[in-house]
Amino acid sequence: MDLTLSDLEPLSEAEYDDQTLVSSPIAVPFSAPKTVRFCLGDFKDEPRPDDFVDAVNALIQNWSRLKREAGPYVRHYRRDESGVQDDSDDIWASVELPSSIMICRRPKLDREVYVFIECECPWEPEHGLLIVVRSGTGLIRVGPFSSHFSNGDRFANPALENVIYVGQ
């Protein structure tokens, strides 16, 4: 499944931000049977809109691998938040994928396009589970919801830039 910009149309302004455009609902393999809306942050002034579409396509193509890579970090996050030590269950069975996924360009440092997947999870109902992926291919961060692109940003510590999960 390769999407084009026209597959995301019509794009409408987000209620919370006039620079963010929201796609129509799209059925993607990893969300079935749900559809997903892609929220394109600061998209109106984006000089390279195809980078956003490329990130969506890469996310779709790499989702199975990204889930496998994220699994141990998600388990660690669950252990830290709930004390559950059992790692024999399917961690993804308790994670609810979102109905919308945010995609935006990092304003500093690498200026790559990042995908923010904000999921619901029972062990942290207030802050949920956030998975951040660079360009739709590289797992960058797992943890509670926030607007930070990386743990280096989250903790204002460049040494944590490539650390995927930072425990409590």
Side-chain angles (χ1 to χ4, degrees), residues 2 4 9 29 32-33 35 45 48-49 68 101 110 113 120-121 125 146 162 165:
D2 267 356
T4 64
E9 294 173 340
T35 57
D45 299 325
R48 296 189 327 256
R68 279 193 309 276
I101 293 175
D110 63 7
V113 173
E120 299 294 328
C121 60
S146 81
N162 295 313
Y165 177 73

Side-chain angles (χ1 to χ4, degrees), residues 137-149:
T137 61
L139 184 65
I140 298 301
R141 189 162 88 73
V142 169
F145 293 167
S146 81
S147 60
H148 299 101
F149 289 84

Side-chain angles (χ1 to χ4, degrees), residues 4-166:
T4 64
L5 188 55
S6 63
D7 294 322
L8 300 178
E9 294 173 340
L11 296 171
S12 58
E13 281 186 6
E15 294 175 13
Y16 53 86
D17 175 7
D18 66 359
Q19 291 299 307
T20 296
L21 298 180
V22 181
S23 76
S24 54
I26 298 172
V28 292
F30 64 80
S31 68
K34 287 173 51 172
T35 57
V36 173
R37 290 181 185 269
F38 292 97
C39 302
L40 311 176
D42 292 325
F43 195 71
K44 282 187 174 180
D45 299 325
E46 174 56 45
R48 296 189 327 256
D50 287 342
D51 289 357
F52 284 61
V53 178
D54 291 346
V56 169
N57 284 319
L59 177 69
I60 292 167
Q61 292 168 353
N62 292 294
W63 180 244
S64 293
R65 176 185 56 79
L66 290 165
K67 266 180 54 172
R68 279 193 309 276
E69 288 178 15
Y73 301 106
V74 174
R75 287 181 190 286
H76 196 137
Y77 178 42
R78 179 180 67 179
R79 268 194 305 272
D80 286 350
E81 294 301 321
S82 70
V84 171
Q85 298 295 319
D86 181 12
D87 286 346
S88 64
D89 65 332
D90 176 10
I91 190 71
W92 296 106
S94 61
V95 172
E96 183 180 335
L97 291 173
S99 58
S100 62
I101 293 175
M102 176 61 100
I103 302 170
C104 52
R105 187 173 298 282
R106 192 176 190 179
K108 299 182 241 171
L109 300 176
D110 63 7
R111 301 215 17 92
E112 291 292 326
V113 173
Y114 284 68
V115 179
F116 288 73
I117 307 166
E118 296 180 357
C119 306
E120 299 294 328
C121 60
W123 63 85
E124 182 41 294
E126 183 178 348
H127 298 107
L129 166 66
L130 175 67
I131 301 167
V132 180
V133 180
R134 182 186 305 128
S135 301
T137 61
L139 184 65
I140 298 301
R141 189 162 88 73
V142 169
F145 293 167
S146 81
S147 60
H148 299 101
F149 289 84
S150 68
N151 279 314
D153 293 343
R154 182 174 172 224
F155 295 101
N157 183 345
L160 298 176
E161 184 61 28
N162 295 313
V163 176
I164 293 172
Y165 177 73
V166 175

